[in-house]
């Protein structure tokens, strides 16, 4: 059992990282817990190499660079960050007549005076290809995430899927991969139309193949992927293609997991919060993609704002004499400024 902190932040995505910044600014002891082995949430796990255009102050920034900046700012107070730990339970108790929440992970137990759930879309894992023994190809050419595009230099690639990630990688791996074949089980796409247009233009120019109504039947090879067999789900025709890598982009399965059983009010998989980011359990707050309220937008920018609101409310909850309004950072002695 670890020492009690003022705030246990579940999730080290953009919302959790910015919450950590505010926690330190408010002088609240805190820790972060995340299921992933790196900070950054969806940005790190799902689209580190994509540009983001709608974060204030950055006309254009790679997701991984935004995470780097968020970590530099958010973790400047050096809180403990417990990565690769999944939150699996909550025990409610009391400390000096006030609530004490012990967060139980698959590795340890963390008591805290309040909890801020910044769990995004929940603990998530990429959806697997529906093929028997598909895991045998992990690290042998099967990549459900693209963390480093350069790893695909000179490779023959099969992309499976029809959503944003599949189309984005078909575009972003142009000029890097030796060849790209993209298959999708139908002819409707869930991706942004501009990216679909781009991919269709690449295909028309012979720079890649885009095949609709084709699915993956089998992956073959000895120590690595060497070939794939695909089939047309309308004509039942089959083809075997020489291939080095398969990139399934079939979305991801996310789940609130144990958090859903804590007695929180949940609506369509999201935690209901008030405008002060309080849940129905006093002392438990939520912010970011995991929350819902009228007008909610699931965006990085809104997560930042909600983290700020939640932590300042928590500061007041922990010490009713403390104002909710934190003051202006530009005036704070904490940051070496004079007019505190
Ligand atoms: C492909 C793609 C592109 C996007 N592009 C943009 C964009 O351009 N602009 C924009 O504003 N938004 C974009 N988004 C959405 C944006 O990424 C999310 O709004 C943002 O990540 C939400 O941040 P968060 O911190 O609330 O949640 P997340 O980023 O989901 O982080 C939550 C963290 O909580 C952890 N967690 C969850 N449950 C548990 C548990 N039980 N135990 C331990 N840890 C747990 C997860 O592992 C995760 O790391 C995009 C999303 C995707 C998928």
């Amino acid at each position: 059992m670890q020492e009690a902190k003022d705030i246990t932040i579940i999730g080290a995505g953009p919302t959790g990282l910015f919450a950590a910044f505010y926690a330190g600014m408010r002088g609240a002891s805190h820790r972060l817990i995340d299921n992933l082995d790196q900070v950054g949430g969806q940005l790190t796990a799902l689209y580190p190499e994509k540009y983001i255009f709608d974060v204030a102050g950055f006309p254009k920034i790679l997701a991984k660079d935004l995470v780097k900046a968020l970590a530099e700012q958010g973790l400047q107070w050096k809180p403990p960050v417990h990565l690769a730990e999944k939150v699996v339970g909550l025990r409610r108790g009391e400390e000096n007549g006030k609530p004490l929440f012990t967060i139980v992970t698959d590795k340890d137990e963390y008591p805290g005076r309040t909890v801020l759930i910044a769990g995004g879309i929940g603990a998530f894992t990429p959806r697997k290809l529906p093929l028997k023994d598909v895991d045998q190809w992990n690290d042998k050419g099967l990549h459900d995430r693209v963390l480093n595009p350069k790893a695909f230099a000179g490779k023959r690639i099969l992309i499976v899927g029809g959503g944003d990630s599949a189309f984005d990688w078909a575009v972003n791996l142009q000029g890097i991969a030796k060849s790209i074949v993209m298959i999708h089980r139908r002819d409707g796409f869930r991706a942004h139309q501009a990216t679909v247009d781009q991919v269709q233009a690449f295909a028309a120019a012979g720079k890649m193949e885009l095949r609709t109504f084709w699915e993956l039947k089998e992956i073959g090879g000895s120590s690595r992927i060497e070939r794939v067999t695909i089939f047309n789900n309308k004509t039942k025709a089959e083809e075997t293609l020489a291939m080095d890598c398969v990139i399934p982009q079939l979305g991801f399965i996310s789940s609130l997991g144990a958090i859903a059983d804590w007695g929180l009010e949940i609506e369509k998989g999201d935690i209901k919060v008030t405008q002060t980011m309080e849940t129905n359990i006093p002392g438990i707050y939520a912010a970011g993609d995991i929350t819902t309220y009228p007008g909610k937008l699931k965006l990085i920018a809104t997560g930042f704002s909600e983290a700020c609101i939640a932590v300042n409310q928590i500061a007041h909850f922990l010490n009713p004499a403390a104002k909710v309004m934190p003051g202006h950072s530009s005036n704070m002695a904490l940051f070496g400024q004079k007019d505190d």
Side-chain angles (χ1 to χ4, degrees):
M1 171 88 85
Q2 307 259 346
E3 60 164 338
K5 299 278 187 198
D6 290 331
I7 314 175
T8 305
I9 302 172
I10 301 174
T15 305
L17 288 171
F18 197 53
F21 165 75
Y22 258 101
M25 193 172 117
R26 293 304 307 249
S29 63
H30 56 287
R31 60 166 48 95
L32 293 105
I33 303 172
D34 202 298
N35 181 40
L36 297 172
D37 56 5
Q38 295 174 67
V39 300
Q42 294 173 51
L43 288 74
T44 300
L46 302 176
Y47 60 105
E49 296 290 340
K50 284 185 75 169
Y51 280 105
I52 299 170
F53 299 87
D54 57 349
V55 171
F58 295 101
K60 171 180 173 179
I61 185 165
L62 275 175
K64 68 177 182 188
D65 291 340
L66 180 61
V67 169
K68 207 170 151 205
L70 279 166
E72 185 183 331
Q73 180 187 38
L75 305 180
Q76 65 183 289
W77 323 105
K78 310 258 182 287
V81 183
H82 308 280
L83 295 175
E85 284 194 42
K86 186 172 179 178
V87 171
V88 293
L90 166 74
R91 269 204 321 273
R92 293 173 67 178
E94 267 192 16
E95 180 194 61
N96 305 326
K98 294 202 165 163
L100 189 74
F101 303 97
T102 300
I103 297 295
V104 181
T105 73
D106 46 7
K107 297 198 179 130
D108 211 335
E109 300 196 351
Y110 302 98
R113 294 170 194 103
T114 61
V115 178
L116 174 53
I117 306 173
I121 48 177
F124 57 93
T125 43
R127 196 184 298 275
K128 287 185 184 185
L129 282 165
L131 299 182
K132 195 166 172 270
D133 298 331
V134 71
D135 287 341
Q136 68 176 299
W137 301 109
N138 290 340
D139 303 323
K140 293 176 182 167
L142 179 64
H143 302 260
D144 51 24
R145 292 182 291 168
V146 178
L147 298 178
N148 174 17
K150 294 198 182 86
F152 297 91
K155 307 277 190 203
R156 295 164 298 189
I157 291 172
L158 178 76
I159 298 176
V160 186
D164 275 312
S165 305
F167 275 88
D168 285 345
W169 287 120
V171 171
N172 292 337
L173 291 172
Q174 288 290 326
I176 297 175
K178 182 177 177 189
S179 62
I180 301 175
V181 178
M182 182 169 165
I183 57 171
H184 185 42
R185 64 192 156 87
R186 53 194 183 92
D187 63 353
F189 305 118
R190 283 171 286 108
H192 198 270
Q193 190 56 44
T195 325
V196 174
D197 293 345
Q198 243 180 317
V199 165
Q200 284 173 334
F202 283 134
K207 293 183 174 170
M208 63 172 283
E209 273 188 67
L210 173 61
R211 296 190 181 199
T212 50
F213 300 110
W214 285 81
E215 297 182 40
L216 182 57
K217 182 177 180 194
E218 201 176 4
I219 298 175
S222 47
S223 59
R224 287 191 57 80
I225 292 178
E226 291 167 9
R227 62 189 169 277
V228 295
T229 302
I230 57 174
F231 71 98
N232 186 302
N233 60 25
K234 291 200 145 183
T235 65
K236 307 299 172 208
E238 283 190 16
E239 274 183 45
T240 297
L241 310 172
M243 205 60 69
D244 302 305
C245 299
V246 175
I247 306 179
Q249 295 291 293
L250 307 175
F252 41 85
I253 303 165
S254 62
S255 121
L256 269 183
I259 297 171
D261 304 325
W262 293 357
L264 294 163
E265 264 186 74
I266 310 268
E267 190 178 281
K268 293 187 184 153
D270 297 323
I271 299 173
K272 277 177 94 171
V273 290
T274 63
Q275 63 194 24
T276 48
M277 299 299 128
E278 287 165 83
T279 68
N280 58 310
I281 301 180
I284 301 188
Y285 295 71
D289 270 19
I290 204 160
T291 63
T292 187
Y293 52 83
K296 168 72 187 179
L297 295 175
K298 293 195 180 199
L299 288 171
I300 296 165
T302 39
F304 289 163
S305 164
E306 292 165 13
C308 168
I309 293 170
V311 173
N312 285 297
Q313 290 291 335
I314 288 173
H316 178 69
F317 175 87
L318 289 166
N319 173 14
K323 287 186 180 157
V324 173
M325 177 64 189
H328 294 144
S329 64
S330 52
N331 289 340
M332 287 184 185
L334 179 66
F335 298 109
Q337 307 306 305
K338 292 207 176 94
D339 308 333
D340 208 0

